[in-house]
Structure formats: structure tokens, C-alpha cells
């Protein structure tokens, strides 16, 4: 049995101090990240440069000693491997070719034809498995099908996933077909990450909150359950974290319904609520608001302690409720870690 703290928490152990990592811990708030990204040229070149992607993954581990490293890549690389066009508009964000017709769906590559594009990502994982400190857990990841589909349909990030909801109503067969293609490809993609050395995988369903009622069951719960069952059949000991962001009451029972070992909680719900309703049935991760990494001060320390205390009775991995933002101060991250570890 390993003694890595993240793996112990994922097995359900209650630790005296929760292990910590942070969503987007390798990112623009760090000067060393900005320097490596400039060296790579642009964001996508950084993702596909295994040496430099491993370097930016390691930067926050060296600086802060987080208990986990998350592979540096992006959820939109899988659509690119499936045949979508992908580019990043400077200062704006990702852009993709749109997918709204049966013909465009039929034009995607199959799940076994994604690995040529994604080979550099597997290489990054291999480098990290070699170079990370012994005590640091390596997390691989992918986007969940609904979130990935929302970008593929709209061709960009959308505040309400309007185009994806519109296709779901107008052409259910094409929409469901796309969800199935992404689901199957995600199993292959994550399985290759595990073979390359990822010890845990996380499914990011950043836009799960816009799925209501039966849609939440059909397009957030069911695809996650399918991916998790397929991964566990191939890798029985693999711990899996699911993040149905802004699911609200949908967090309750999500781990049981999907087979996830841990549910990551965003900061739209209180840690006391999540402890009572979600952590009672297993490990949770979260959920400090990322705004404290910008504003700092006594509020940061108080709210960090509040999260630690609220989750102290059950298995917990300390994290933010969503990714740290580019305007955050690296010193506030140090203060947060000191507040968690009681320094
Ligand atoms: O300019 C830059 O350098 C790019 C900023 C950036 C970074 C650092 C993007 C663009 N992606 C990433 C890396 C990334 N993305 C990681 C690496 C590991 C880490 O956390 O340190 C991970 C796990 C992701 C996942 C990701 N990408 C998600 C899910 C999590 C979340 O934040 O909700 C999503 C939705 C994306 C899409 C994406 N990639 C980048 C941006 C700016 C966006 C959001 C775009 C939008 O919705 O408009």
C-alpha cells in the first residue's frame, strides 16, 4: 500500500491535515509559467511540447510542495484529436470549428484514431511519472462529455451553453451521438494516460450546472458512470475524481451514481452543506473560492480554516472551488497552504 496522502484520502482515510492541490496550479498567475509559455510560443505549442509541459506541471510542485501534480494539457485537445479544428485567440480563449449536423458528426475520427495527435500528452505523463517527488501524486484528466460537447457544438466557451442546449432540443440523435463519441474516446484517452503513469484521473464537467432534471441524469451522470465503469474494468485500482461543477443538489449521491471515488465541489455551495450532504458518503475535494487568491488578507485565512474545519470529520482533499485566476497573487497561495497545514 502506498502512503501518498492523496491516495489515502481517495481510499476514504481521514487524515489529520488534508492533502492539497489547486485547480490551474500551473497557470498565468505564476511568472515561471509565463516565461515557459513564452518560450513555447503559444498555449497549444506548450501543451504539445512534452518537455515544457512537464516543466510547467512541476513548477507549482517546486514552489509550493503541493501533494498532487495535474498533467498540463487541456480538455479541448481531445476534440482536436477527434478532428475538430482548434486554436486560441490571444486574450480571448479557445475557438473550435462548430459541429451541428449529422454529416459533421459522421466526419469525426473514431476512438482508436486519436492517439497520434495525443502521443505528446502521453509522453508528458511519462516524464512526470519519472521526475515527480516520490510523495507527489500524478493526476491525469479529461473533460466530461457534456462540457466537451458544449465547446464542440458552439465552437467556443459560452455563458449558458445555449448552442448545445439548442442542438439537444432540435436534433437529439446528433447530440446524443456526439456525447457517445466523446464518451468512448475519453475512455481510450484516460486509459492511455493511466498506462503512461497517471495515478488518479479527474473528469471536469465544468458546465454540469446548466443541465437540469432528466438532462442532468442523461448527460452528466450517465456518461460519467459509463467512463468510470470502463476505466475501472481496465484499471481496477484507479481512483477517479468527478467534478460536476455547480451541480447543487446534483452533488448528492453523484459518487454513488457514477462510481467516482471522490466528488470535487465548487464554491457555490457552503462547505458545511457539502460535508453534511455529500461527504457523509465518501471523499470530497474543494471548495475555497478562488477569489481569495486575489484578495488575500484575513478573509483568506479565515475561509481556508473554515473549509478545513467543515470537512475535518471525513475524507477530504483541500482545493479551490474552481481554477485559480491569472490575477491571483502567488503569495496568497503560500498563505492558504500555511493556513491548511497549520504553519
Ligand atoms: O493563456 C494560457 O496560458 C492558457 C490558460 C489555460 C491553462 C493554464 C487554458 C486555456 N488551459 C489551461 C490548462 C488547463 N486546462 C489544465 C491544466 C492543469 C492545471 O489545472 O494546472 C486543466 C485541467 C484545464 C481544464 C480545462 N480547460 C477546463 C476544465 C476546468 C475549468 O477550468 O472549468 C476547461 C473548461 C478548459 C477550456 C479552456 N482552456 C483554456 C481556457 C481559457 C478555457 C476556458 C475557456 C472558456 O470557457 O471560454
Amino acid at each position: 500500500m502506498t502512503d501518498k496522502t492523496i491516495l489515502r484520502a481517495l481510499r476514504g482515510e481521514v487524515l489529520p491535515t488534508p492533502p492539497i492541490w489547486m485547480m490551474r496550479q500551473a497557470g498565468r498567475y505564476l511568472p515561471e509559467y509565463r516565461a515557459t509559455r513564452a518560450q513555447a510560443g503559444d498555449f497549444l505549442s506548450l501543451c504539445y511540447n512534452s518537455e515544457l509541459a512537464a516543466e510547467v506541471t512541476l513548477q507549482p510542485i517546486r514552489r509550493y510542495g503541493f501533494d498532487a501534480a495535474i498533467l498540463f494539457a487541456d480538455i479541448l485537445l481531445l476534440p482536436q484529436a477527434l478532428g475538430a479544428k482548434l486554436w486560441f485567440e490571444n486574450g480571448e480563449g479557445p475557438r473550435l470549428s462548430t459541429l451541428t449536423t449529422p454529416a459533421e458528426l459522421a466526419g469525426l475520427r473514431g476512438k482508436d484514431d486519436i492517439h497520434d495527435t495525443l502521443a505528446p500528452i502521453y509522453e508528458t505523463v511519462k516524464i512526470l511519472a519519472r521526475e515527480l517527488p516520490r510523495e507527489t501524486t500524478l493526476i491525469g484528466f479529461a473533460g466530461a462529455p457534456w462540457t466537451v460537447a458544449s465547446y464542440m457544438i458552439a465552437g467556443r466557451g459560452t455563458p449558458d451553453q445555449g448552442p448545445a442546449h439548442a442542438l439537444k432540443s432540435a436534433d437529439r440523435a446528433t447530440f446524443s451521438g456526439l456525447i457517445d463519441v466523446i464518451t468512448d474516446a475519453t475512455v481510450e484517452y484516460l486509459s492511455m494516460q493511466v498506462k503512461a503513469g497517471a495515478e488518479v484521473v479527474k473528469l471536469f464537467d465544468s458546465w454540469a450546472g446548466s443541465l437540469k432534471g432528466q438532462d442532468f441524469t442523461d448527460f452528466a451522470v450517465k456518461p460519467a458512470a459509463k467512463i468510470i465503469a470502463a476505466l475501472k474494468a481496465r484499471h481496477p485500482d484507479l481512483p477517479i475524481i468527478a467534478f460536476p461543477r455547480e451541480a447543487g443538489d446534483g452533488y448528492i449521491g453523484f459518487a454513488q451514481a457514477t462510481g467516482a471515488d471522490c466528488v470535487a465541489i465548487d464554491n457555490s455551495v457552503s462547505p458545511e452543506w457539502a460535508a453534511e450532504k455529500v461527504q457523509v458518503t465518501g471523499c470530497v475535494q474543494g471548495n475555497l473560492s478562488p477569489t481569495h487568491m486575489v484578495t488575500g488578507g484575513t478573509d483568506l485565512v479565515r475561509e481556508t480554516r473554515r473549509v478545513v474545519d467543515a470537512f475535518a470529520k471525513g475524507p477530504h482533499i483541500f482545493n479551490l472551488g474552481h481554477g485559480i485566476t491569472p490575477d491571483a497573487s502567488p503569495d496568497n497561495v503560500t498563505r492558504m497552504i500555511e493556513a491548511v497545514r497549520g504553519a
Side-chain angles (χ1 to χ4, degrees):
M1 275 285 171
T2 171
D3 53 359
K4 292 188 184 189
T5 50
I6 297 263
L7 298 178
R8 288 170 63 188
L10 287 168
R11 284 199 301 266
E13 240 186 271
V14 184
L15 301 167
T17 301
I20 321 178
W21 68 281
M22 198 171 68
M23 281 187 264
R24 289 280 165 97
Q25 61 191 25
R28 281 175 293 178
Y29 75 105
L30 286 181
E32 58 268 38
Y33 170 86
R34 295 196 298 269
T36 310
R37 194 180 104 147
Q39 193 188 336
D42 57 43
F43 175 69
L44 279 179
S45 306
L46 177 55
C47 290
Y48 287 114
N49 182 323
S50 309
E51 292 289 340
L52 295 183
E55 166 58 24
V56 294
T57 308
L58 291 165
Q59 286 168 349
I61 308 305
R62 287 191 205 113
R63 188 190 263 258
Y64 299 116
F66 284 119
D67 296 292
I70 182 156
L71 162 69
F72 189 84
D74 197 82
I75 65 163
L76 302 176
L77 305 184
L78 184 68
Q80 187 173 39
L82 284 168
K85 291 192 176 46
L86 172 68
W87 67 102
F88 275 77
E89 293 283 349
N90 253 339
E92 285 192 42
R95 296 288 182 272
L96 300 94
S97 45
T98 59
L99 189 157
T100 54
T101 66
E104 285 161 344
L105 177 63
L108 292 178
R109 290 193 197 114
K111 65 180 168 56
D112 298 316
D113 298 325
I114 58 175
H115 301 307
D116 283 351
T117 304
L118 296 169
I121 311 310
Y122 311 142
E123 181 58 27
T124 307
V125 175
K126 284 185 193 156
I127 296 171
L128 288 167
R130 227 169 33 229
E131 294 194 1
L132 277 169
R134 289 181 48 243
E135 64 277 14
T136 313
T137 301
L138 177 55
I139 303 177
F141 73 93
W146 159 249
T147 289
V148 172
S150 78
Y151 286 93
M152 291 180 79
I153 294 164
R156 56 185 300 164
T158 45
D160 57 0
Q161 297 72 61
H165 286 289
L167 184 68
K168 173 159 57 63
S169 309
D171 183 351
R172 190 82 167 187
T174 300
F175 176 80
S176 301
L178 178 60
I179 293 285
D180 290 345
V181 167
I182 299 167
T183 300
D184 293 345
T186 300
V187 171
E188 303 307 322
Y189 180 39
L190 288 176
S191 189
M192 287 294 272
Q193 292 184 26
V194 173
K195 286 185 194 160
E199 300 171 280
V200 172
V201 297
K202 179 169 174 185
L203 266 181
F204 285 92
D205 211 349
S206 304
W207 300 118
S210 79
L211 291 170
K212 305 294 177 200
Q214 190 61 35
D215 277 350
F216 184 80
T217 304
D218 290 345
F219 302 118
V221 176
K222 284 184 183 166
K226 199 171 160 197
I227 291 166
I228 291 170
L231 286 172
K232 296 231 176 206
R234 295 186 200 181
H235 315 279
D237 298 326
L238 174 71
I240 299 173
I241 303 171
F243 182 35
R245 190 170 75 90
E246 294 193 355
D249 285 345
Y251 280 126
I252 301 169
F254 195 83
Q256 291 64 40
T258 58
D261 300 272
C262 175
V263 181
I265 311 269
D266 75 89
N267 49 278
S268 70
V269 296
S270 77
E272 293 80 13
W273 178 90
E276 189 191 323
K277 302 285 185 187
V278 190
Q279 194 193 30
V280 281
T281 50
C283 185
V284 291
Q285 177 179 283
N287 76 335
L288 182 70
S289 169
T291 57
H292 292 296
M293 299 298 104
V294 181
T295 53
T298 51
D299 285 3
L300 159 62
V301 175
R302 190 191 62 242
E303 291 302 307
T304 299
R305 287 310 311 173
R306 178 180 163 200
V307 170
V308 172
D309 292 343
F311 291 123
K313 291 199 187 72
H316 177 219
I317 297 169
F318 189 92
N319 205 310
L320 304 178
H322 200 194
I324 187 168
T325 49
D327 54 345
S329 150
D331 292 341
N332 287 333
V333 177
T334 306
R335 278 183 208 109
M336 172 189 76
I337 294 170
E338 285 171 359
V340 173
R341 294 187 173 152

